Amino acid sequence: MPSSRRVHQHCIGGTMLLASLLLLAAPSATLAFQTSHPHHPIAASPHRPAASSGSKIITEGNSNNQRLIVKSRRMTPSSTSSTSLYFFGMNKNNNEEKDEEETTPDESSSSNIEGKTAQISFIAKSASFLKVAFPSFLAGGVATLAVLFLPLASEYYNAFHDMTDSSSSSKLAAAGNDKNNNNPNTNNVNQPVILFETILNDLNDAYVDDVDVQKLFETGVKAMTASLDPYTEFESKLEAQQMSESVTGKYGGVGLVIRGGTNLKELAAADDADKAMNDSVEKIESSPASPSSSSLKNGEKPPSSLDSAPPVAVKDAGSIGNPKLDQKSNKVLTNDDDDDDVDVEKVERRRALKRGMEDGIRVVSAFEGYAYDAGFRVGDKLTAIDDFDIVPTTSVDEVRDHLRGDPGTPVSITFEREGVGGKVNEPQTIELERSVVRIPDVKYFGFIGDPSDGIGYVDLSGFANDAGREVRYAIRALQHGAEMAAGNTNNDGSAMAITDPTKLKGLVLDLRSNPGGLLTSAVDVATLFVPNGSDIVSAKGRGFPETLYRSQTEPILNSNTRLAVLVNEQTASAAEIVTGAVQDLDVGVVVGKGRTFGKGLVQNVQDLPYQTALKYTVAKYYTPSGRCIQSTVYEEGSSSTGENGGDKFKSKKVADKDRTVFYTAHGREVKDGGGVEVDYKVNPQKASPLEIILLNSGAYSDYAAEWSKNHELTDNFKVDDATFKDFQRFVEKRQKDGDMKLEILYDSQLKELQKKLKASKSFDSSRRGLESLRADIIKDVKKDFSTYKSEITEDLEQNILTRYLPDSMLIERGLRSDLQVAETAKMLKDGREFDKLLSRDDRSLKEKGGALKNEGQSYETTSTTKPVPTLQSRW
């Protein structure tokens, strides 16, 4: 409904509610007034007669404890006022009352009469009071209920009354399809709520099979939120809990990250699919027409995935179990184009699920300070938790629920580890106590190269509640370490005492693949680098008040310390806020390949009933220069047309011609609408196709498990030529057995080409050419074993060490071969390129219509033709 109509209804409702409250309060107010003003004309009439003329009021006692005693010559039921006064004043001094009764017997008998008369009068008064109170209470209650339920009842009546009109449905459909209709109920929330409730009730009551109403509800709500943007989501109870943990960065448990390949629903679906297939698995695998039919799809068991089942294309269910017959030969006709592909996918899916069951529940990561210190390592296979046995069909969610619990509670975990106990791994049991597991955002900090060079490094992976505190501690520790490395012994010996922070010559803040987090945490981190009083970020939305975040503390990073922020295309959200503030205020340079992700939207998390939540976009944020770095424009999806049945949001990238130029504090040009572009370009080391295939297929981690069965880790471990050749034979055997596709990166293109060739008459002659092409691709991919031997060796070493070393040591070791980190450290150490990038260009800025202030922290425009866009002008 329009806003004016809604306000009008609210005003009427508020007026009726106020009137009902006045009706409820009227009897009590009348009684109070009568008690305090017995002789007032309103108190005496019509329901309260005045006191009789024979009554008089005498005050006895001292001034501190007075009481009212009524002397009455004639007491009648009508003398309610004097009796009431006596009734409420007679118990103020019981001792004096008794003395008076003993010395004046006549008054005592008179008092007894007065007491009885008072009781009779009180009953009569109460009856008179109820005559007014009960009708008022009833009227007020009816009015209140009408205010609360009449609008909703009216909506229900209108909704179902329209069903009696035979033409109303068609009119409603026509109106719904008209985007320019002026229907006053277009924005009425009540109507869709009633429809949604009615649909759920009808499906729950009369659908042919039993339905899960909760699942139907979540499906409908998630489709609704998915029509807006990719960040607006309804969070179920479990999802809301997981989101809360990611925000707070802590939970109650033991500090293990696990994965499991078994999904019971997918397993049941695969069983049903197998029953619907006419050919057995063995027959399909031996089919000469499908040389790759027995191989496994890409993504079968990536190291960081919780589900090893590959994505499967969905085939039209109408073709299963409903074969067509040739009218002449009476033979079954099948669509070879689709059936062959679907059968192969079913086989691959089934094989992946079986392998996941055999692999069981595995440890992906063990947090330092928690499970790692207790003795768990990557690759351990969990077999039991207390009295709960983990079987092949146990899901990863069940195991996670048993691992978690209240801090302080004991838990016993049984597991198997390759290489312990011979061929049959010997079970081991670790007993430990659950605790509050804090997931750190700073995974590692240290020095790059020689500590005496003073180039520090901080790996920030997220923005939870404590991100600012963790980065502050890391910088302080690096400043202290730089002093110690420089031989400065002038401090007092206390921990983290820093006398010369300039010994830290440079700092690399690594935000690569940082997905973001809390906006407030991003502000906390930015305040560690920007000058006091600097604007950091601003946010504004339709229902979100304009908010400006400004630094109010001195930065802990010395202005002489060169700062570089390392980013990639997966640096997003809160990480871009920090990056944009550093760039716009010219306190550091941004290093990377191209630009960041470009997410300039702010989401709010609203708690809902039943421990669920709604995460929805409420605002856009703007960097200090006034630009919004949002790279994609989202529009609400259509209900009848569009992708995925119309429930998908519409999106389009911001064209370069539509991007606006802004200026940093030193006059450098920056643009909006496309993420944060880097100041210093350094390309990462390019991964070969074979490296990508080995990583995604889990070949590295699987070989590391096999290697640990027959080897022990030694100091200065290196992968030698014998180990490398053994790994190559391991991969080739998996490829031959069908457990790995070396051509997987080109598999979709090969399948598409195969379908097109089948549609032509020359497919039989082209089949051999297609198979030859596939073989040539596999042969070329295998050549990467020699072309990229050093890179594959490094990856293999890292995966073997993952089973023995904590994350911090692995990150430190990986920095040695990181080209981007090495080039960034070199630039900071030299300093000339850094100073050149951040140097002030007065002439350039003045040519663009700006005039610098003396402080050099910001600028103001003097142009009258085309002012420099600012935050205020854009809003």
Side-chain angles (χ1 to χ4, degrees):
M1 87 181 47
S3 58
S4 58
R5 179 182 174 186
R6 187 179 298 123
V7 171
H8 181 63
Q9 274 198 354
H10 288 174
C11 291
I12 295 176
T15 304
M16 295 179 65
L17 185 61
L18 179 61
S20 63
L21 292 176
L22 291 176
L23 288 172
L24 289 171
S28 299
T30 303
L31 175 60
F33 184 80
Q34 289 174 343
T35 304
S36 57
H37 300 81
H39 297 292
H40 195 279
I42 297 179
S45 177
H47 300 290
R48 189 179 183 93
S52 62
S53 59
S55 302
K56 62 179 179 178
I57 301 176
I58 302 174
T59 304
E60 293 187 341
N62 55 43
S63 59
N64 294 329
N65 189 12
Q66 292 184 346
R67 63 191 179 93
L68 296 178
I69 301 176
V70 178
K71 304 290 185 177
S72 178
R73 297 191 186 95
R74 182 173 71 246
M75 282 292 179
T76 63
S78 62
S79 302
T80 55
S81 61
S82 58
T83 306
S84 298
L85 284 171
Y86 179 78
F87 181 80
F88 289 109
M90 62 183 298
N91 295 323
K92 288 190 176 182
N93 196 329
N94 293 331
N95 294 331
E96 295 181 11
E97 186 75 18
K98 291 179 181 179
D99 294 340
E100 184 179 353
E101 290 174 356
E102 292 176 356
T103 56
T104 56
D106 293 337
E107 293 182 5
S108 177
S109 60
S110 176
S111 177
N112 291 334
I113 297 174
E114 291 175 354
K116 295 179 180 180
T117 306
Q119 295 177 2
I120 297 173
S121 177
F122 178 72
I123 295 174
K125 172 194 169 296
S126 300
S128 177
F129 170 75
L130 290 175
K131 290 180 181 180
V132 178
F134 183 73
S136 300
F137 179 80
L138 185 61
V142 172
T144 303
L145 292 176
V147 170
L148 296 176
F149 296 105
L150 191 57
L152 185 60
S154 175
E155 294 292 344
Y156 271 96
Y157 174 78
N158 292 334
F160 291 100
H161 178 68
D162 290 342
M163 295 174 60
T164 60
D165 187 357
S166 59
S167 62
S168 61
S169 58
S170 59
K171 293 179 180 179
L172 182 61
N177 293 329
D178 184 6
K179 296 183 178 180
N180 299 320
N181 70 82
N182 297 320
N183 185 1
N185 293 326
T186 300
N187 295 323
N188 189 350
V189 179
N190 291 336
Q191 289 185 1
V193 168
I194 294 171
L195 287 173
F196 195 72
E197 178 187 2
T198 304
I199 292 171
L200 279 180
N201 285 329
D202 289 346
L203 293 176
N204 187 40
D205 294 339
Y207 187 73
V208 61
D209 297 319
D210 291 337
V211 295
D212 187 342
V213 176
Q214 182 64 28
K215 184 177 179 181
L216 286 175
F217 169 78
E218 291 185 8
T219 301
V221 172
K222 289 184 177 182
M224 174 179 64
T225 56
S227 68
L228 300 174
D229 61 52
Y231 312 111
T232 299
E233 298 174 325
F234 169 77
E235 308 289 348
S236 64
K237 181 178 178 179
L238 177 60
E239 293 168 337
Q241 180 184 358
Q242 293 174 345
M243 181 171 59
S244 176
E245 291 170 359
S246 66
V247 169
T248 60
K250 57 185 180 181
Y251 66 93
V254 297
L256 282 176
V257 180
I258 58 175
R259 66 168 172 85
T262 303
N263 186 313
L264 296 181
K265 293 182 179 179
E266 291 191 0
L267 184 62
D271 286 335
D272 293 340
D274 287 346
K275 294 176 181 178
M277 294 167 59
N278 295 324
D279 296 326
S280 65
V281 173
E282 292 77 17
K283 184 176 180 180
I284 296 177
E285 289 180 342
S286 61
S287 174
S290 302
S292 62
S293 63
S294 62
S295 57
L296 196 62
K297 293 190 67 175
N298 180 31
E300 171 227 337
K301 196 188 66 167
S304 60
S305 176
L306 294 181
D307 190 353
S308 65
V312 177
V314 178
K315 184 176 180 293
D316 184 10
S319 63
I320 299 179
N322 293 284
K324 297 180 180 180
L325 295 177
D326 187 299
Q327 298 299 326
K328 295 182 179 179
S329 62
N330 212 28
K331 295 181 180 180
V332 177
L333 296 179
T334 61
N335 189 337
D336 292 337
D337 297 359
D338 295 333
D339 289 350
D340 288 348
D341 295 335
V342 173
D343 289 348
V344 170
E345 290 172 349
K346 288 176 181 177
V347 173
E348 293 174 348
R349 183 177 184 177
R350 183 66 182 174
R351 289 165 62 90
L353 289 171
K354 286 183 176 180
R355 180 166 182 171
M357 293 176 63
E358 295 172 359
D359 198 39
I361 305 297
R362 297 278 179 169
V363 174
V364 174
S365 177
F367 293 158
E368 295 177 69
Y370 303 99
Y372 182 87
D373 295 357
F376 290 98
R377 295 294 183 267
V378 173
D380 289 345
K381 180 180 179 180
L382 305 186
T383 58
I385 303 172
D386 292 329
D387 297 331
F388 175 74
D389 293 330
I390 300 176
V391 297
T393 56
T394 302
S395 68
V396 69
D397 292 336
E398 293 179 277
V399 178
R400 180 198 57 203
D401 293 340
H402 281 82
L403 287 174
R404 295 189 177 186
D406 296 331
T409 57
V411 59
S412 176
I413 305 175
T414 304
F415 64 96
E416 297 175 356
R417 180 176 298 168
E418 282 87 355
V420 178
K423 294 183 179 179
V424 179
N425 299 329
E426 181 181 346
Q428 303 179 68
T429 300
I430 294 179
E431 296 183 357
L432 66 162
E433 195 175 80
R434 295 184 180 93
S435 61
V436 178
V437 179
R438 301 184 183 275
I439 306 173
D441 287 320
V442 175
K443 301 298 184 184
Y444 169 81
F445 65 88
F447 290 98
I448 302 174
D450 191 345
S452 61
D453 294 337
I455 306 299
Y457 173 87
V458 177
D459 181 6
L460 182 61
S461 61
F463 286 88
N465 282 332
D466 293 334
R469 179 183 60 82
E470 293 178 22
V471 176
R472 177 185 294 273
Y473 177 83
I475 295 176
R476 288 296 189 190
L478 291 172
Q479 290 173 335
H480 179 72
E483 274 192 294
M484 299 297 292
N488 189 348
T489 57
N490 295 327
N491 58 47
D492 58 3
S494 60
M496 303 291 286
I498 301 170
T499 58
D500 187 6
T502 61
K503 296 300 181 182
L504 183 64
K505 301 259 190 326
L507 177 66
V508 178
L509 179 64
D510 194 345
L511 298 180
R512 289 177 297 180
S513 300
N514 187 317
L518 297 177
L519 184 147
T520 52
S521 295
V523 174
D524 291 341
V525 172
T527 56
L528 305 175
F529 308 111
V530 303
N532 186 11
S534 301
D535 293 348
I536 296 176
V537 66
S538 303
K540 183 181 179 183
R542 182 171 65 94
F544 189 87
E546 180 178 343
T547 305
L548 173 64
Y549 294 88
R550 177 175 295 162
S551 174
Q552 296 181 347
T553 60
E554 294 295 332
I556 67 170
L557 191 70
N558 190 273
S559 59
N560 293 321
T561 301
R562 303 183 185 99
L563 172 64
V565 181
L566 193 56
V567 300
N568 62 7
E569 63 277 2
Q570 298 302 317
T571 302
S573 192
E576 292 177 290
I577 291 178
V578 175
T579 305
V582 169
Q583 186 180 65
D584 285 0
L585 298 174
D586 285 321
V587 296
V589 298
V590 181
V591 183
K593 178 182 178 180
R595 62 186 187 182
T596 60
F597 183 81
K599 180 179 180 293
L601 304 176
V602 181
Q603 280 74 42
N604 179 51
V605 179
Q606 179 68 44
D607 292 335
L608 299 178
Y610 310 109
Q611 299 179 339
T612 59
L614 176 65
K615 178 168 69 75
Y616 60 105
T617 303
V618 294
K620 294 180 179 180
Y621 70 77
Y622 301 83
T623 65
S625 65
R627 55 178 171 150
C628 179
I629 53 91
Q630 177 65 24
S631 61
T632 306
V633 178
Y634 298 106
E635 295 180 1
E636 183 179 357
S638 171
S639 60
S640 57
T641 60
E643 300 177 6
N644 297 333
D647 59 349
K648 188 72 173 178
F649 57 84
K650 301 176 181 178
S651 63
K652 63 178 181 179
K653 290 289 185 180
V654 177
D656 190 66
K657 62 182 180 63
D658 297 329
R659 300 176 65 190
T660 306
V661 175
F662 293 79
Y663 299 95
T664 68
H666 289 177
R668 297 185 297 141
E669 286 189 3
V670 290
K671 291 184 178 181
D672 67 352
V676 179
E677 296 182 4
V678 301
D679 303 315
Y680 187 71
K681 188 172 183 179
V682 178
N683 290 322
Q685 185 172 357
K686 186 178 180 180
S688 66
L690 179 59
E691 288 181 88
I692 299 174
I693 294 170
L694 295 176
L695 180 64
N696 291 340
S697 64
Y700 286 129
S701 58
D702 290 345
Y703 179 79
E706 292 294 325
W707 183 91
S708 61
K709 292 179 181 180
N710 306 311
H711 299 81
E712 291 185 1
L713 187 70
T714 59
D715 296 337
N716 301 320
F717 164 76
K718 292 288 183 181
V719 172
D720 53 19
D721 289 340
T723 304
F724 184 83
K725 291 180 180 179
D726 185 57
F727 173 66
Q728 185 173 355
R729 287 192 295 268
F730 174 82
V731 173
E732 291 175 351
K733 184 178 184 303
R734 290 191 61 179
Q735 189 266 338
K736 183 178 180 180
D737 294 341
D739 292 334
M740 177 187 297
K741 279 186 175 183
L742 293 181
E743 75 280 13
I744 187 64
L745 296 181
Y746 316 97
D747 195 50
S748 59
Q749 292 90 338
L750 290 173
K751 286 184 177 180
E752 185 66 24
L753 177 60
Q754 181 178 344
K755 287 183 179 180
K756 291 182 178 180
L757 290 175
K758 283 184 176 182
S760 65
K761 298 180 180 179
S762 60
F763 174 68
D764 292 337
S765 60
S766 303
R767 182 192 299 272
R768 289 186 296 273
L770 184 62
E771 293 176 355
S772 177
L773 175 61
R774 187 184 297 272
D776 290 341
I777 292 176
I778 296 175
K779 184 178 179 180
D780 289 339
V781 170
K782 287 182 179 180
K783 290 181 180 180
D784 288 346
F785 274 111
S786 57
T787 307
Y788 296 92
K789 181 179 179 180
S790 60
E791 290 81 359
I792 296 174
T793 299
E794 177 67 25
D795 293 338
L796 186 57
E797 286 180 358
Q798 194 80 351
N799 276 269
I800 292 176
L801 291 174
T802 298
R803 307 178 72 86
Y804 301 94
L805 302 180
D807 289 342
S808 59
M809 296 183 67
L810 293 172
I811 295 174
E812 180 182 11
R813 190 178 185 279
L815 291 177
R816 302 172 190 171
S817 58
D818 194 319
L819 294 181
Q820 286 187 313
V821 172
E823 287 296 322
T824 304
K826 182 179 178 181
M827 182 262 296
L828 293 178
K829 183 179 179 181
D830 180 70
R832 289 176 295 180
E833 185 68 26
F834 179 89
D835 295 336
K836 180 181 178 181
L837 289 171
L838 295 183
S839 62
R840 183 192 302 276
D841 189 354
D842 295 0
R843 182 181 61 183
S844 175
L845 183 61
K846 289 179 180 179
E847 288 176 355
K848 297 181 184 300
L852 291 171
K853 291 184 177 181
N854 294 330
E855 296 82 2
Q857 295 296 333
S858 59
Y859 65 92
E860 59 183 6
T861 178
T862 59
S863 172
T864 57
T865 57
K866 188 176 180 180
V868 177
T870 62
L871 187 63
Q872 289 77 14
S873 65
R874 287 182 61 81
W875 285 355

